[in-house]
Amino acid sequence: MVEPLADRVLALTLADEPGQLAALLLDRPRWEGPLDVEAAFGGRTPEGAAPLHAAAVGGRSACLAALLAAGAPSARVEPSGHTALHLACQGGQQLRRGADPMRRRPTEAAGVLANAALYECCLLGRDALCRALCEGYDVAAQVGYKTRGQGHNCFHAACDRGHARCLQAVLAACGASSDGTRAAARALISGADGDGACPIHLAAHSGAAACVRLLLAFDAGLEGLRMNAAHQTPLYLACARGHLETAEVLLGYDASGEAAEAPEFTPLHAAAASGAADVCALVLAARPELLRVEDPDHRTPLATAVSHGKLESARLLAIAGAAPRYGAVDLVDEAHARNLPALAAWLRDILSLIHI
């Protein structure tokens, strides 16, 4: 049976009464002796959460501080599989006092990823907490942590969500030691389960140009990485999503000879399919040889633009001198076949002038 003291502690925590909670726990008369942990903190909500977990998930920071100061156990795992540190990170709070940032959620918690605290902070954009975790714990161990199921680390999380400040905080902490630098280098080329995407692939796909800059400043060689499953480089992904600034950053670091990659995965094909004429122009200016490269179906970037009905991309590529055919197919006929009469008419007129 839960002691009355535990009931009062839980009630004051849920009511967010830090003053009364501190008076109850910290201003006890000496004759009462030290607190018994179970007697003081053994109360549970209907969901099974202890007072410390309830304070963390509810954002009751003053109550959280009072509970920690009184000795509430921070490493205890609640029924959902979270420690109080996980919940504090989700709520944007700091929780130190012996909390283990690498504590995993139990494997038997069905459908729940085993997220470490730094990963969750990067996922949610808690840059102040990222800095605190990097300063207070072994950063090399934390960046090596990977989620179950996805195989993502904290860099994947920050890049996918575009949280550049979190990424900057972790990279800076890693760069301060040789162990951290080596751990970061390994984590940055770590591919996700399934598609093999590294953090820079997620940043490029999301259009997180600031994250891409930070990654390439840390290691310029990341630009030439491919995804294991689809063989798509970061530049290809940025172009496929029409992210102009990100594509520009990646092209500025293109020292890896990306032109040698398989023709079916050229960034100009990707830009043409996205319909982003400005990205097409950017790639074409840097890599004019891609204008005539064909994919396995013999489609040029212009043919790709036509097949996707991207008028502006098709116009730009045609004016740049792209051939009006791919294989045995006339692109005017292709536009008609795809029920794009306006594009067919424009192509017929412009191509007749350019290719007389």
Side-chain angles (χ1 to χ4, degrees):
M1 181 176 179
V2 178
E3 295 292 333
L5 176 59
D7 285 339
R8 295 201 299 275
V9 168
L10 179 61
L12 290 172
T13 300
L14 294 175
D16 198 13
E17 294 287 351
Q20 295 183 47
L21 187 62
L24 179 65
L25 295 173
L26 303 176
D27 299 335
R28 296 164 56 83
R30 291 184 179 180
W31 57 265
E32 291 189 22
L35 282 176
D36 178 85
V37 171
E38 187 60 29
F41 309 114
R44 294 292 183 273
T45 67
E47 296 76 24
L52 192 66
H53 294 87
V57 76
R60 303 174 178 92
S61 56
C63 287
L64 186 67
L67 290 166
L68 287 170
S74 62
R76 181 172 291 171
V77 179
E78 71 162 340
S80 68
H82 296 78
T83 65
L85 178 60
H86 287 119
L87 299 175
C89 289
Q90 291 175 358
Q93 305 168 63
Q94 293 194 41
L95 177 61
R96 304 297 286 275
R97 294 186 62 87
D100 181 4
M102 296 302 292
R103 183 68 177 266
R104 292 176 180 265
R105 301 176 190 170
T107 56
E108 63 270 16
V112 179
L113 293 176
N115 297 330
L118 185 60
Y119 171 86
E120 296 203 21
C121 287
C122 287
L123 190 68
L124 297 169
R126 314 293 191 191
D127 54 289
L129 278 170
C130 282
R131 287 190 291 273
L133 288 168
C134 289
E135 292 169 2
Y137 302 97
D138 182 358
V139 68
Q142 292 185 79
V143 299
Y145 174 90
K146 297 180 70 173
T147 61
R148 299 186 182 101
Q150 286 182 303
H152 282 184
N153 56 46
C154 62
F155 294 128
H156 285 97
C159 290
D160 187 41
R161 300 296 179 88
H163 296 315
R165 290 183 179 179
C166 293
L167 180 63
Q168 185 176 31
V170 179
L171 287 175
C174 288
S177 70
S178 56
D179 286 346
T181 300
R182 286 192 295 269
R186 290 191 297 269
L188 290 174
I189 59 172
S190 175
D193 295 343
D195 62 8
C198 297
I200 195 169
H201 292 106
L202 299 187
H205 184 269
S206 301
C211 289
V212 171
R213 286 192 184 93
L214 289 168
L215 293 172
L216 293 177
F218 191 86
D219 182 357
L222 295 173
E223 184 275 335
L225 288 175
R226 296 188 182 196
M227 293 176 68
N228 293 337
H231 299 280
Q232 295 168 332
T233 62
L235 178 57
Y236 179 96
L237 292 169
C239 293
R241 301 285 290 181
H243 297 312
L244 179 64
E245 184 181 1
T246 305
E248 187 173 17
V249 173
L250 288 162
L251 280 168
Y253 278 85
D254 187 15
S256 62
E258 192 174 13
E261 64 179 57
E264 58 266 36
F265 303 115
T266 69
L268 190 56
H269 280 89
S274 75
D278 53 354
V279 179
C280 282
L282 178 72
V283 176
L284 192 58
R287 303 271 296 281
E289 73 279 3
L290 296 181
L291 186 65
R292 294 171 177 81
V293 172
E294 298 180 352
D295 66 14
D297 295 322
H298 305 291
R299 290 182 181 273
T300 61
L302 174 57
T304 299
V306 173
S307 67
H308 285 79
K310 304 301 183 182
L311 178 60
E312 294 304 318
S313 295
R315 283 177 173 172
L316 184 143
L317 294 169
I319 292 171
R325 306 177 67 85
Y326 71 93
V329 179
D330 185 285
L331 288 176
V332 175
D333 294 337
E334 172 86 351
H336 277 301
R338 296 185 178 277
N339 196 27
L340 300 168
L343 179 57
W346 187 89
L347 283 171
R348 183 182 60 248
D349 293 342
I350 192 65
L351 291 175
S352 66
L353 293 174
I354 295 175
H355 300 284
I356 292 176

